């Protein structure tokens, strides 16, 4: 039969294709200019037939879905060459160990993987005569252990993802068998499928057997739930017939200094919840300048506050909405006393290196504010607080991890200050504030099985500061502010447990930091007040990148 050549430039995504070369001397050439999608098995059952799938162009996106099968001594060459390309299926090569046909270079299955391409979804053992892979990934992970039997492995800097039960060292993993030569440096990433995360028994497990070793295998660090695992490989004489060298797992070690995605998310979410709870709130921010006189005793006020604060690898953006009501319960020549209640809702979004989360808080506060005729004031606030936090992050392999918890806390704040006039317009207002608080911890379990137990932190937050004020007239004030803050308590921690492994994180936020900003307060009508300010911080482990605050106060 005369030779025939079939050239296919494109195959539509919705048009399944099965390529079978069964006639004597039949040649099937499937190429594409930009994209080649092949759905179905590619089969050769004749010694003299040839199938070419794709080409060496790095711009060709190739998607192969189906098995590649060489029943005799035909030749199948498949090229999967960039980050948008993949091969999903198994290979079956009847003569994968045949040195004669392999050295001829035009027999058997030859698969080329390059530059971010992926071979995945192994359902069973695969055999292939030549695998040429550079900077690509071969993903053998599945629900059962399997072998990849290769005649020649070449290329460089590709990764083989393999399952292992690291609680034992016999028949416990996926495995590579190379019947001929291995060249280049290749890497193995091990996924521990042991239900308890145990790694105590893995040492000695054989992962690769090679007949002619001219290259190297290395193991990548692997992210676990609580720790990164460091896997170390070594080479020894092979006990398997037909092979000379085995690469085996020499030891498994934790890397305690490298936090996992789960640990980072749990710790950062707790720290942000603590920071949101202890954030100080000043009288001028809450109600403006109460010294702007009105003849009314009752008042309603609203305000909105937004801001961003951040630490190493995480941040929070939030907006708080607050509604308050108060009444003047005492008004003499020496003293004016306000008592009131305020309701607040805080809507926050957390950001992490590998994901995001939410922090939503509700609070009710009761306050008593004394204004004395010589400029002194004392503001007392008791607050009950409840917050819900959650996170969704993705680990180094793209696996989704979620967690959610809530905290309930109380706090008591006392702020004292005095406005001292320097002349008709200029004044200074030194202030001191102390806020005591208790925040209940939480117990929860993340989606990847980590049991989390938060401690119950206390807070003793002190502030010393000063407003530098300019009264443009009796109804309008602008000011600069500077504050020094220190956390005298701030000890809290979290314990994470998963199977036999546990981890404790202790935070000692005895921070000192400095805040500065400016603001104004004015009367916009007979009984209406408007006030606003902006500020930021420097120093401390948690930085206030910016914060704005605006409110209105109506009396009646």
């Amino acid at each position: 039969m005369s030779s025939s050549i079939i050239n296919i430039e494109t195959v539509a995504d919705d048009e399944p294709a099965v390529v079978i070369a069964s006639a004597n001397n039949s040649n099937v050439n499937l190429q594409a200019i930009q994209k080649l999608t092949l759905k179905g098995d590619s089969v050769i059952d004749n010694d003299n037939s040839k199938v070419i799938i794709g080409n060496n162009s790095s711009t060709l996106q190739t998607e192969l879905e189906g098995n590649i099968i060489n029943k005799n001594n035909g030749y199948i060459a498949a090229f999967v060459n960039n980050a948008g390309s993949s091969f999903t299926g198994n290979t079956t090569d009847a003569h994968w160990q045949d040195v004669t046909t392999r050295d001829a270079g035009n027999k058997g299955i030859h698969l080329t993987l390059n530059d971010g391409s992926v071979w995945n979804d192994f359902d069973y053992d695969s055999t292939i005569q030549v695998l040429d892979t550079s900077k690509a990934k071969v993903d053998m992970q599945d629900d059962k252990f399997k072998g990849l039997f290769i005649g020649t492995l070449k290329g460089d800097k590709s990764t083989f993802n393999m399952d292992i039960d690291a609680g034992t060292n016999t028949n416990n993993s996926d495995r590579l068998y190379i019947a001929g030569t291995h060249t280049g440096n290749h890497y193995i990433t091990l996924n521990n499928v042991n239900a308890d995360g145990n790694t105590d028994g893995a040492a000695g497990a054989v992962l690769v057997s090679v007949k002619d070793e001219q290259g190297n295998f290395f193991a990548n660090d692997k992210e676990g739930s609580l720790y990164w695992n460091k896997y170390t490989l070594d080479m020894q004489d092979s006990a398997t017939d037909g092979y000379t060298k085995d690469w085996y797992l020499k030891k498994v070690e934790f890397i305690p200094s490298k936090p996992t995605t789960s640990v980072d998310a749990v710790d950062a979410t707790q720290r942000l919840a603590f920071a949101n709870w202890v954030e100080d709130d000043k009288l001028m921010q809450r109600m403006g300048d109460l010294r702007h006189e009105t003849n009314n005793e009752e008042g309603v006020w609203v305000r909105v506050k937004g801001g961003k604060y951040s630490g190493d690898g995480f941040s929070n953006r939030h907006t708080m909405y607050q509604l308050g009501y108060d009444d003047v319960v005492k008004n003499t020549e020496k003293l004016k006393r306000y008592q009131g209640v305020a309701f607040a809702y805080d809507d926050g979004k957390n950001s992490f290196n590998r994901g995001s989360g939410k922090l939503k808080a509700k609070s009710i506060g009761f306050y008593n504010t004394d204004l004395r005729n010589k400029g002194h004031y004392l503001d007392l606030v008791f607050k009950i607080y409840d917050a819900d936090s959650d996170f969704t992050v993705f680990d180094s392999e793209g696996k989704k991890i979620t967690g959610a918890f809530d905290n309930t806390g109380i706090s008591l704040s006392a702020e004292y200050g005095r406005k001292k006039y320097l002349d008709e317009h200029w004044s200074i207002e030194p202030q001191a504030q102390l806020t005591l608080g208790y925040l209940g911890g939480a117990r929860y379990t993340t989606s990847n099985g980590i049991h989390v137990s938060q401690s119950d932190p206390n807070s003793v937050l002190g502030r010393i500061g000063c407003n530098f004020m300019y009264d443009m007239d009796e109804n309008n004030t602008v000011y600069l502010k500077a504050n020094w803050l220190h956390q005298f308590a701030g000890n809290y921690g979290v314990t994470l447990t998963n199977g036999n492994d546990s981890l404790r994180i202790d935070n000692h936020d005895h921070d000192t930091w400095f805040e500065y900003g400016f603001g104004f307060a004015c009367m916009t009508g007979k009984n209406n007040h408007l006030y606003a300010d902006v500020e930021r911080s420097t120093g401390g482990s948690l930085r206030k990148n910016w914060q704005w605050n605006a409110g209105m106060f109506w009396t009646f």
Side-chain angles (χ1 to χ4, degrees), residues 32-35 54-62 79-85 112 114-117:
I33 298 172
Q34 292 181 325
K35 183 175 183 180
N55 58 55
N56 270 319
S57 172
S58 62
T59 61
L60 170 64
Q61 182 178 341
T62 306
F79 300 90
V80 184
N81 274 322
N82 54 46
S85 297
T112 300
N114 285 319
D115 297 332
S117 60

Side-chain angles (χ1 to χ4, degrees), residues 105-127:
N106 59 357
K107 298 291 183 181
I109 299 173
H110 294 229
L111 175 62
T112 300
L113 300 167
N114 285 319
D115 297 332
S117 60
V118 180
W119 179 9
N120 54 22
D121 280 2
F122 281 69
D123 294 321
Y124 45 83
D125 291 353
S126 281
T127 54

Side-chain angles (χ1 to χ4, degrees), residues 451-495:
H451 301 289
V452 181
S453 177
Q454 295 179 352
S455 64
D456 306 329
N458 297 316
S459 172
V460 179
L461 180 63
R463 176 179 68 89
I464 297 175
C466 190
N467 291 342
F468 302 90
M469 312 178 75
Y470 180 77
D471 293 340
M472 293 181 286
D473 53 41
E474 62 182 6
N475 295 327
N476 297 280
T477 301
V478 295
Y479 61 93
L480 299 174
K481 57 180 178 176
N483 294 281
W484 176 88
L485 298 96
H486 181 74
Q487 175 62 259
F488 293 93
N491 293 330
Y492 59 96
V494 59
T495 300

